[in-house]
């Protein structure tokens, strides 16, 4: 079991939680899920002030190397800021047990790794690590359908394309139903049509459940189409924060 856990951590599956999705019951529409002040991480990212509201779709855009992924990792406490304050639900993010924190908010990396074995094995191992009971094939097939895949559950994940791996990894995240989704370019390996399908699905999924979605995207057009808030990073600093939709 120790080796299995170590493998999970390597694959970012340390973010997997054992709890079901928590419906957002925030009576204050201005409730802040994350608050950052005077945050600095090496020479990669500097954030003077940033407040991310709950139950919003926030898209982070900017050129490669601008600090987008670093910001997501800070929000998931996968890395620690050199200075400054990061609050999660009003409390210092460092005061949370990292596993408990990642049970509520899951980060999906841009290039997720697969467990060895079939797609069914990947779903099963995901639930095993989260200490939850295995689900039936019908649940797994429904998740594949949600992410637009028509593959047999017996398919070996090592034979999947980059885009297929991204979607299977996203299906694993949805299986665990976290309250907050932190997605690092979940559609980077997809064509334009499939990208729009996936982003719309994830946005609808979060909104229907009262969840919070924070996603990095390389396409400003995608952010403008789907986001409530768009954050533009340039050279490790926030260039602007735009409210695109009032919710």
């Amino acid at each position: 079991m120790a080796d299995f856990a170590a493998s999970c951590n390597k694959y970012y599956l340390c973010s997997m939680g054992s709890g079901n999705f928590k419906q957002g019951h925030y009576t204050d529409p201005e409730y802040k899920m994350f608050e950052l002040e005077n945050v600095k991480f090496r020479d990669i990212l500097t954030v003077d002030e940033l407040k991310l509201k709950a139950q919003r779709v926030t898209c982070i855009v900017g050129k490669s190397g601008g600090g987008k992924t670093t910001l997501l990792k800070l929000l998931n406490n996968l890395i620690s800021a050199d200075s400054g304050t990061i609050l999660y639900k009003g409390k210092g993010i460092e005061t949370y047990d990292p596993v408990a924190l990642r049970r509520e908010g899951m980060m999906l990396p841009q290039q997720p790794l697969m467990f060895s074995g079939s797609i069914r094995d990947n779903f099963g191992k995901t639930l095993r690590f989260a200490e939850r009971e295995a689900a039936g094939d019908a649940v797994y097939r429904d998740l594949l359908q949600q992410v637009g895949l028509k593959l047999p559950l017996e398919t070996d994940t090592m034979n999947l394309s980059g885009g297929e791996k991204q979607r299977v990894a996203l299906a694993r995240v949805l299986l665990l139903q976290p309250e907050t989704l932190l997605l690092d370019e979940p559609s980077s390996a997809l064509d334009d049509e499939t990208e729009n399908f996936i982003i719309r699905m994830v946005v609808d999924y979060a909104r229907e459940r009262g969840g919070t979605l924070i996603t990095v995207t390389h396409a400003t057009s995608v952010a403008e189409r789907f986001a409530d808030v768009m954050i533009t990073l340039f050279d490790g600093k926030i260039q602007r924060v735009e409210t695109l939709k009032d919710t």
Side-chain angles (χ1 to χ4, degrees):
M1 187 65 182
D3 291 341
F4 181 82
S7 176
C8 288
N9 286 330
K10 176 183 176 183
Y11 293 170
Y12 278 87
L13 294 176
C14 55
S15 296
M16 292 184 169
S18 59
N20 289 329
F21 182 94
K22 299 178 181 178
Q23 292 283 353
H25 294 299
Y26 305 108
T27 56
D28 180 0
E30 300 301 305
Y31 185 88
K32 310 300 188 301
M33 184 67 75
F34 294 99
E35 299 174 76
L36 293 78
E37 185 173 356
N38 298 323
V39 169
K40 183 174 179 61
F41 181 78
R42 300 180 184 175
D43 59 351
I44 298 174
L45 182 68
T46 299
V47 179
D48 294 330
E49 183 180 36
L50 179 64
K51 296 180 180 180
L52 301 174
K53 297 176 183 178
Q55 298 179 317
R56 301 294 198 279
V57 174
T58 299
C59 285
I60 305 170
V61 301
K63 294 182 178 180
S64 178
K68 302 185 299 296
T69 298
T70 298
L71 178 55
L72 278 191
K73 289 181 178 180
L74 287 169
L75 297 180
N76 206 222
N77 203 20
L78 288 170
I79 57 175
S80 298
D82 298 324
S83 59
T85 302
I86 302 177
L87 302 183
Y88 172 66
K89 294 183 177 180
K91 294 173 56 180
I93 198 168
E94 74 282 354
T95 67
Y96 286 86
D97 175 77
V99 174
L101 175 73
R102 294 166 195 150
R103 285 177 175 175
E104 295 189 16
M106 289 186 59
M107 180 175 171
L108 179 65
Q110 183 177 347
Q111 296 180 325
L113 299 180
M114 298 284 103
F115 288 118
S116 61
S118 67
I119 294 175
R120 181 188 290 108
D121 293 335
N122 269 255
F123 283 130
K125 291 176 181 179
T126 295
L127 290 171
R128 176 186 167 194
F129 183 72
E131 298 179 345
R132 292 171 58 180
E133 295 182 1
D137 283 358
V139 173
Y140 302 153
R141 291 192 184 98
D142 181 65
L143 287 166
L144 290 181
Q145 183 177 2
Q146 285 187 55
V147 298
L149 286 177
K150 298 179 180 179
L151 294 172
L153 291 172
E154 295 79 15
T155 303
D156 192 319
T157 56
M158 297 301 107
N159 296 328
L160 299 178
S161 67
E164 288 169 338
K165 288 179 180 178
Q166 274 192 323
R167 285 187 277 174
V168 169
L170 178 58
R172 293 188 314 204
V173 171
L174 300 183
L175 176 64
L176 296 178
Q177 301 179 317
E179 179 180 3
T180 300
L181 295 169
L182 304 168
L183 309 181
D184 189 2
E185 298 210 38
S187 57
S188 61
L190 306 177
D191 58 64
D192 290 344
E193 181 179 357
T194 307
E195 176 182 45
N196 281 315
F197 169 81
I198 290 296
I199 297 298
R200 182 177 295 280
M201 182 277 296
V202 174
V203 167
D204 290 346
Y205 179 92
R207 285 184 172 146
E208 289 169 3
R209 291 161 175 78
T212 302
L213 170 61
I214 302 172
T215 182
V216 168
T217 177
H218 61 281
T220 301
S221 60
V222 169
E224 291 174 340
R225 190 177 308 121
F226 295 107
D228 301 319
V229 177
M230 181 169 68
I231 299 170
T232 303
L233 287 177
F234 180 76
D235 199 22
K237 295 183 179 180
I238 295 177
Q239 191 173 46
R240 59 183 175 271
V241 178
E242 301 172 81
T243 300
L244 304 180
K245 298 183 183 70
D246 292 325
T247 57

